[in-house]
Amino acid sequence: MCGRFVVASAGSELVGVLRVDVEGDDLPEPSYNVAPTAQVAIVLDSVKEELPVRRLESARWGLVPGWAKDPKIGARAFNARSEELEDKPMFRSALEKRRAVVPASGYYEWKTVDGVKVPHYIHPADGSPLLMAGLYEWWRDKSKTDDDPERWMLSFTILTRDSIGHLGSIHDRMPLFLDPDHADAWLDPTTDNVRDVLDATIDAAPALADTLADHVVSKAVGNVRNNSPDLIEPADD
């Protein structure tokens, strides 16, 4: 699973090789302790124009489908198992047409050692952005008027798969990682081969996982109120 992650950069610095065309004007600040329901910058390809336009937009972490009566449902949908997407009404429609990339600096995972949960920070060893596959949805708040700019909510979920390699010794699940080439294919809303794109992404993830480093960090990361660069530093003990 992925329940906390780090976004240490903002705007164009965050996305690097993804060639974003438009940046939203309400992008969140960098955070060293992103938790579900927080606002996060995600990348998506909009098809409102003649050609897809790649956008960096602020979105709430925790998918809220358009048919939901209450946005609180998103608090339980911050992750989605990649092998179950086509079987879940919560994710099926977004998989077909609304795929996203969630760029990050790294993420936290907890390893249980002798009954004690020990937090690890997992990140690209070379300092490059970590790209995670996601899905997004737009939800309309029917209690707000048409001219209310807050009537629409953009939300997302991060996809996961079975862990492999050294990451498997920390937790049995890991985010579904993307390289830039797979990110382009994943974002393309015009593709007719969603299953092929998903399978290729799942197959490529292990090689990307091998490029990640990890180290134990302070248990302070367990409190979402803590949010500073110190959280990603190696623990003293």
Side-chain angles (χ1 to χ4, degrees), residues 128-231:
S128 61
L130 181 66
L131 306 180
M132 300 180 286
L135 306 175
Y136 74 91
E137 286 279 15
W138 288 98
W139 180 78
R140 170 68 189 270
D141 186 345
K142 296 181 180 179
S143 69
K144 299 184 183 300
T145 60
D146 288 345
D147 58 355
D148 190 328
E150 297 184 356
R151 68 189 183 281
W152 288 101
M153 174 192 292
L154 177 62
S155 65
F156 73 97
T157 187
I158 294 173
L159 305 191
T160 67
R161 56 151 290 160
D162 290 337
S163 289
I164 55 90
H166 73 286
L167 297 185
S169 68
I170 300 173
H171 197 275
D172 62 351
R173 303 290 296 182
M174 68 180 193
L176 184 57
F177 307 120
L178 295 160
D179 64 23
D181 289 338
H182 283 95
D184 280 335
W186 178 254
L187 286 170
D188 184 0
T190 66
T191 183
D192 294 325
N193 300 305
V194 175
R195 181 72 247 180
D196 291 345
V197 172
L198 178 59
D199 287 344
T201 301
I202 293 172
D203 291 344
L208 295 170
D210 287 341
T211 68
L212 303 183
D214 72 273
H215 57 261
V216 175
V217 294
S218 168
K219 293 182 180 179
V221 71
N223 187 336
V224 72
R225 294 186 181 88
N226 297 324
N227 193 336
S228 72
D230 294 343
L231 293 179

Side-chain angles (χ1 to χ4, degrees), residues 105-121:
S105 303
Y107 71 103
Y108 300 107
E109 195 54 86
W110 279 256
K111 179 179 180 178
T112 301
V113 180
D114 297 329
V116 178
K117 291 186 175 181
V118 180
H120 288 241
Y121 178 53

Side-chain angles (χ1 to χ4, degrees), residues 44-118:
L44 56 90
D45 276 6
S46 170
V47 292
K48 292 183 178 180
E49 310 295 335
E50 183 176 345
L51 295 174
V53 174
R54 186 156 297 177
R55 308 182 67 90
L56 182 67
E57 298 283 0
S58 178
R60 175 172 161 167
W61 188 14
L63 195 77
V64 182
W67 45 259
K69 295 181 179 180
D70 191 324
K72 292 180 181 179
I73 192 175
R76 304 193 304 271
F78 58 90
N79 283 166
R81 289 177 172 260
S82 56
E83 63 270 29
E84 298 177 355
L85 298 176
E86 293 165 309
D87 300 323
K88 301 288 187 179
M90 173 79 78
F91 308 118
R92 189 184 302 132
S93 179
L95 174 63
E96 290 292 328
K97 299 179 180 179
R98 290 177 291 278
R99 296 178 297 279
V101 172
V102 184
S105 303
Y107 71 103
Y108 300 107
E109 195 54 86
W110 279 256
K111 179 179 180 178
T112 301
V113 180
D114 297 329
V116 178
K117 291 186 175 181
V118 180

